[in-house]
C-alpha cells in the first residue's frame, strides 16, 4: 500500500498536557527509529479515544511501537496473537467453574487493559472478530448477560500484513469503520535502517525497553487533560462544511462502490481537532483536515473491483477528492 501516512505535527509552546504528549513522542523515538509519523497517529488516536489499524510488512516495528507507547505513557498493555483457532472467550474472558466454591467466576481476558495489541487481526475467524467488535464499540464485555466495563483509557491497536492473505479473514466493513485511523507503517530509509543496526550493535534489546532508556513521561491524568483541551478546539462553520463535502464526494466518486459514512465524517472532525491542538492552534484549518484525511478515511472506502485491477487505491481516490473539493478560505 502506498501513499502518505500522516505527517508529524511540529512541537509548539502550549499547555502542560501538550508538552507531555510531545515528550511522549520523543520518548518513543528512543526505541523506534524513523516512524515519527506513525507515532503521531497513535497519539491522535489516544486523544480521540479511537482505535488504530497498523498495516505494514513484518519487521517494521509495529509491535514494538505499541509496547513502547504504553511504557512511555505508563499504561497497562497486553498482546493477543490472532490465529484461526482463537475463540471469543480467549479475547474477552470467560466463566470458570471453581470446584472449591461450586460457583462460576469470571476470568478476565486480555481486553481488560489500556492498550490492546491485536496482532494479525485478520487471521482470526468472524466469530472472534465479532466479539472484538463489541469491545471496540461499547468498551465493555458481555458474558451471560452481565456487562463488564473495560478500563479507561482503552484503545485497540491492531496489525495486519498487506502482502500475505493466505489463511486470512478480511475484516468486514462494519469493523473497519470502527477504527479511527488506518496507518501504513513504511519500511525505513537507508539512514534510518543504519540507525536501527547501530542500536542493535550497541546492545539494544527490544524486549527490555527499560534498559533502552524508555521511561514513563506522561500518564493517564495528562491524557485526560489533553483530551479535554483538544475537544475544546474551535471549528468554524465553513470548515465543518468542508469535512461534510469531502465525505459526500467519496460517496459519489465513480471509482468507489462504498464511500465514507457519517461516522467517517465525525472521525475526520475529531482527528482534525486533535491534529490542530497538537500543533498548538485553538482552531481547525482546512489544511488540518487535509493532513488527517487519508489515514482517517482510507479504510472506509472500497474501490470498485475493476479499478482495483488497474491499480487504483483508496489513497489515490482521496488525493483526487482533496484536489477537486473547493477549500474554504
Amino acid at each position: 500500500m502506498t501513499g502518505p501516512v500522516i505527517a508529524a505535527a511540529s512541537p509548539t509552546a502550549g499547555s502542560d498536557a501538550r508538552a507531555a504528549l510531545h515528550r511522549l513522542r520523543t520518548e518513543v523515538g528512543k526505541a523506534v527509529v524513523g516512524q515519527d509519523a506513525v507515532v503521531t497517529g497513535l497519539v491522535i488516536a489516544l486523544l480521540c479515544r479511537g482505535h488504530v489499524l497498523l498495516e505494514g510488512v513484518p519487521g517494521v516495528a509495529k509491535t514494538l511501537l505499541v509496547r513502547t507507547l504504553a511504557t512511555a505513557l505508563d499504561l497497562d498493555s497486553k498482546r493477543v496473537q490472532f490465529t484461526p483457532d482463537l475463540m471469543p472467550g480467549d479475547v474477552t474472558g470467560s466463566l470458570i467453574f471453581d470446584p472449591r466454591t461450586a460457583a462460576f467466576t469470571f476470568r478476565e481476558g486480555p481486553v481488560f487493559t489500556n492498550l490492546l495489541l491485536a496482532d494479525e487481526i485478520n487471521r482470526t475467524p468472524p466469530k472472534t472478530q465479532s466479539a472484538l467488535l463489541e469491545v471496540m464499540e461499547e468498551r465493555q464485555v458481555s458474558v451471560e448477560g452481565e456487562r463488564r466495563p473495560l478500563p479507561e483509557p482503552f484503545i485497540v491497536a491492531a496489525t495486519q500484513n498487506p502482502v500475505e492473505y493466505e489463511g486470512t479473514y478480511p475484516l468486514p466493513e462494519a469493523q473497519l469503520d470502527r477504527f479511527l485511523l488506518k496507518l501504513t507503517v513504511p519500511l525505513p530509509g537507508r539512514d534510518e535502517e543504519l540507525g536501527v543496526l547501530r542500536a542493535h550493535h550497541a546492545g539494544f534489546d527490544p524486549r527490555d525497553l527499560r534498559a533502552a532508556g524508555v521511561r514513563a513521561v506522561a500518564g493517564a491524568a495528562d491524557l485526560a487533560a489533553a483530551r479535554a483541551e483538544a475537544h475544546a478546539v474551535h471549528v468554524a462553520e465553513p470548515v465543518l462544511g468542508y469535512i461534510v463535502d469531502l465525505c459526500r464526494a467519496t460517496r459519489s466518486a465513480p471509482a468507489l462502490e462504498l464511500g465514507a459514512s457519517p461516522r467517517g465524517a465525525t472521525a475526520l472532525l475529531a482527528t482534525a481537532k486533535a491534529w490542530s491542538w497538537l500543533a498548538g492552534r485553538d482552531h481547525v484549518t482546512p489544511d488540518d483536515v487535509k493532513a488527517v484525511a487519508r489515514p482517517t478515511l482510507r479504510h472506509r472506502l472500497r474501490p470498485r473491483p475493476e479499478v482495483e485491477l488497474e491499480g487504483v487505491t483508496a489513497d489515490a481516490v482521496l488525493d483526487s477528492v482533496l484536489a477537486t473539493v473547493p477549500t474554504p478560505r
Side-chain angles (χ1 to χ4, degrees):
M1 187 172 195
T2 59
V5 184
I6 181 171
S10 302
T12 58
S15 70
D16 291 341
R18 185 184 296 114
L21 291 195
H22 284 307
R23 289 197 304 271
L24 173 67
R25 289 168 49 198
T26 302
E27 197 71 12
V28 173
K30 291 181 178 180
V32 182
V33 178
Q35 299 293 358
D36 293 347
V38 184
V39 173
T40 300
L42 287 167
V43 171
I44 286 176
L46 286 165
L47 283 171
C48 299
R49 300 179 74 243
H51 310 295
V52 179
L53 184 61
L54 298 169
E55 186 173 84
V57 298
V60 290
K62 298 186 294 294
T63 301
L64 181 61
L65 263 170
V66 177
R67 289 180 52 243
T68 308
L69 183 70
T71 300
L73 196 51
D74 197 21
L75 295 178
D76 183 51
S77 175
K78 291 187 175 72
R79 175 182 177 272
V80 180
Q81 180 67 50
F82 280 69
T83 56
D85 60 348
L86 194 72
M87 298 299 292
D90 298 330
V91 178
T92 61
S94 57
L95 292 175
I96 304 295
F97 181 74
D98 187 346
R100 294 172 298 178
T101 61
F104 285 93
T105 58
F106 180 70
R107 179 177 295 173
E108 293 183 348
V111 296
F112 286 87
T113 187
N114 298 122
L115 190 51
L116 176 68
L117 175 61
D119 233 344
E120 295 189 291
I121 189 175
N122 56 339
R123 291 201 175 278
T124 200
K127 185 176 182 179
T128 304
Q129 288 181 6
S130 65
L132 190 61
L133 184 60
E134 180 196 8
V135 169
M136 293 170 62
E137 180 65 19
E138 306 296 336
R139 299 177 186 272
Q140 67 177 25
V141 168
S142 296
V143 177
E144 295 296 324
E146 183 177 349
R147 298 177 178 178
R148 302 175 188 272
L150 298 178
E152 179 61 35
F154 171 76
I155 72 166
V156 173
T159 72
Q160 66 177 17
N161 183 340
V163 296
E164 187 181 356
Y165 291 109
E166 184 178 350
T168 63
Y169 302 83
L171 298 181
E173 272 65 33
Q175 186 157 9
L176 283 172
D177 207 27
R178 261 66 176 192
F179 284 101
L180 179 77
L181 298 169
K182 179 180 180 181
L183 304 175
T184 57
V185 186
L187 288 165
R190 185 179 187 277
D191 290 343
E192 294 161 342
E193 196 164 357
L194 272 173
V196 173
L197 264 62
R198 290 190 186 106
H200 280 261
H201 179 58
F204 170 69
D205 183 357
R207 290 170 291 276
D208 189 356
L209 295 176
R210 297 292 181 183
V214 178
R215 299 291 184 267
V217 295
D222 297 304
L223 184 57
R227 284 175 172 174
E229 292 181 16
H231 181 72
V233 169
H234 176 69
V235 187
E237 194 67 26
V239 178
L240 286 175
Y242 181 54
I243 292 172
V244 170
D245 290 343
L246 286 175
C247 291
R248 291 180 67 85
T250 66
R251 298 170 202 161
S252 58
L256 298 178
E257 62 181 13
L258 180 67
S261 68
R263 184 186 285 116
T266 61
L268 185 54
L269 171 64
T271 55
K273 291 172 69 172
W275 174 269
S276 177
W277 178 81
L278 275 174
R281 289 186 290 277
D282 62 357
H283 64 282
V284 174
T285 68
D287 284 341
D288 294 330
V289 177
K290 291 179 179 180
V292 294
R294 294 176 187 85
T296 306
L297 299 180
R298 58 164 62 111
H299 55 296
R300 307 173 197 271
L301 311 182
R302 185 201 293 165
R304 297 186 182 280
E306 60 269 25
V307 302
E308 275 194 303
L309 291 174
E310 298 172 0
V312 176
T313 64
D315 275 18
V317 177
L318 280 170
D319 288 343
S320 176
V321 167
L322 290 167
T324 54
V325 174
T327 304
R329 294 184 178 180

